[in-house]
Amino acid sequence: MDAPRAAIAALESDAHTAPGHLSLLYRGRLSSCNYDCAYCPFAKTRDSRATLQRDAADLARFVDWAATRTDAMSILFTPWGEGLVRRHYREAMIALSRMPQVRRVAIQTNLCIGTRWLDRVDTRSFALWCTWHPSEVSLEAFVARCLELRRRGIRFSVGMVAMRELFDQIERLRAALPDDVPMWLNAYDQRTADYYDDADVARLLRIDPHFGYSVAPPPSLGAACATGESVLSVNGDGDVRRCHFVDAPLGNLYDGSFAARLGPRPCPNRICDCFIGYVHRRDLPFARDYADGQLERVPARPGEPTSR
């Protein structure tokens, strides 16, 4: 049996640890970005041609692996830089969205590119996690792109980094978006302990009711979490870890060595302060509040159908 088939067989034979659905957070070698946000360490970085070629080859391998699977899966791309300016990410998402076993494929993006390529995606499984960066693009241009996504039936969320100097911009964005477009906020990473006062938090909670988990994440050590069981982090080499924030390897995606190590395990970190980590904690309300939208950060709505 070849390596990809062995990986599938190993996972399917261990179905009790991954009952029918696996979510993968994929982060390849890409770290370049076309934006120049002052708070971001990847602002205006450039990858070498060799790095981009390797990243494209790694991603093609991942898509080929996904095509061989028969059990349901979801994928979130979390590049350090901006992926959608690269054709290989757009083509990967198109291909993955059309695979019947892929329930969801999403990516974190600054939404800087056109939308014609979206004609080729399957909107039943495709989603975007979009961030507005006011220093890089006007409110009017960003909202116009969001409205085009909505017109096309694309599932998406919109958000910002909640820096104090952007509070008015945050409220302007919320007012400019239709009520049915979900908006999220991330606490500013480089904040001091007194960066937000109680009035600030109350103001921001009116925009994102879950903002409190970002600004004051509850202790994580020992908390039950789906990562390592039904949610995994994968890099360009196929190395599997339970999440982006725990370095201990579980094996490799392509030789199937990760499958035997899937299972429930408590969080080993004192604090988890990133949404793509704490959204999978079993003691927090996200499985209920987001249901089918945990990866793309879209809260559930009553009566809303799940992905295919």
Side-chain angles (χ1 to χ4, degrees):
M1 185 179 292
D2 59 29
R5 291 183 182 275
I8 297 166
L11 183 59
E12 291 177 342
S13 67
D14 203 23
H16 67 282
T17 60
H21 185 253
L22 195 65
S23 292
L24 299 175
L25 310 182
Y26 181 96
R27 178 172 287 163
R29 302 170 195 278
L30 186 79
S31 64
S32 54
C33 188
N34 57 318
Y35 277 9
D36 194 22
C37 304
Y39 56 81
C40 180
F42 302 98
K44 286 293 185 182
T45 56
R46 301 186 65 165
D47 287 313
S48 68
R49 180 181 295 272
T51 296
L52 292 173
Q53 289 175 339
R54 179 65 183 275
D55 188 61
D58 291 344
L59 185 55
R61 185 187 187 194
F62 177 76
V63 172
D64 288 346
W65 176 85
T68 68
R69 293 179 63 85
T70 57
D71 49 326
M73 63 189 304
S74 295
I75 299 150
L76 172 65
F77 292 107
T78 63
W80 288 122
E82 174 55 43
L84 291 185
V85 296
R86 303 298 174 185
R87 182 177 179 180
H88 58 276
Y89 278 91
R90 300 194 299 272
E91 293 297 324
M93 294 195 71
I94 292 166
L96 289 165
S97 77
R98 294 175 171 180
M99 296 180 187
Q101 69 273 31
V102 175
R103 293 183 181 174
R104 182 79 73 230
V105 56
I107 191 170
Q108 296 173 324
T109 177
N110 61 28
L111 201 60
C112 63
I113 68 166
T115 57
R116 290 181 60 184
W117 67 283
L118 296 172
D119 291 340
R120 298 168 56 202
V121 307
D122 187 331
T123 58
R124 295 174 298 172
S125 58
F126 183 90
L128 296 174
W129 165 333
C130 309
T131 306
W132 181 38
H133 302 282
S135 65
E136 306 304 304
V137 62
S138 71
L139 174 68
E140 293 73 20
F142 183 81
V143 170
R145 293 171 190 164
C146 293
L147 295 178
E148 178 62 16
L149 295 181
R150 189 169 178 263
R151 184 188 71 80
R152 289 173 173 271
I154 300 295
R155 183 179 174 90
F156 68 103
S157 66
V158 173
M160 294 176 64
V161 176
M163 301 176 70
R164 289 188 56 85
E165 60 266 34
L166 299 181
F167 285 1
D168 289 345
Q169 299 278 52
I170 288 168
E171 291 173 337
R172 287 182 62 211
L173 177 60
R174 178 65 276 177
L177 292 170
D179 290 343
D180 61 357
V181 173
M183 186 169 166
W184 50 264
L185 297 171
N186 282 345
Y188 177 45
D189 275 347
Q190 300 172 45
R191 64 189 183 276
T192 58
D194 60 351
Y195 186 80
Y196 300 109
D197 61 29
D198 291 345
D200 295 334
V201 173
R203 182 179 181 182
L204 298 172
L205 284 170
R206 288 194 286 270
I207 304 294
D208 176 4
H210 295 94
F211 177 67
Y213 292 100
S214 181
V215 71
S220 296
L221 186 63
C225 185
T227 61
E229 182 177 12
S230 60
V231 181
L232 300 171
S233 168
V234 182
N235 68 14
D237 292 323
D239 297 325
V240 174
R241 292 171 173 80
R242 64 175 298 177
C243 75
H244 289 333
F245 315 108
V246 178
D247 288 336
L250 298 179
N252 191 272
L253 195 70
Y254 303 120
D255 64 12
S257 56
F258 75 99
R261 300 192 64 188
L262 297 183
R265 46 175 60 83
C267 180
N269 294 338
R270 185 179 63 84
I271 290 290
C272 180
D273 61 359
C274 182
F275 180 88
I276 58 175
Y278 63 68
V279 70
H280 302 295
R281 281 180 54 173
R282 300 192 188 280
D283 60 331
L284 300 182
F286 294 100
R288 179 197 68 212
D289 293 355
Y290 284 76
D292 202 34
Q294 286 173 276
L295 292 188
E296 65 271 25
R297 210 165 181 172
V298 173
R301 288 188 282 265
E304 182 182 38
T306 60
S307 56
R308 67 168 190 228

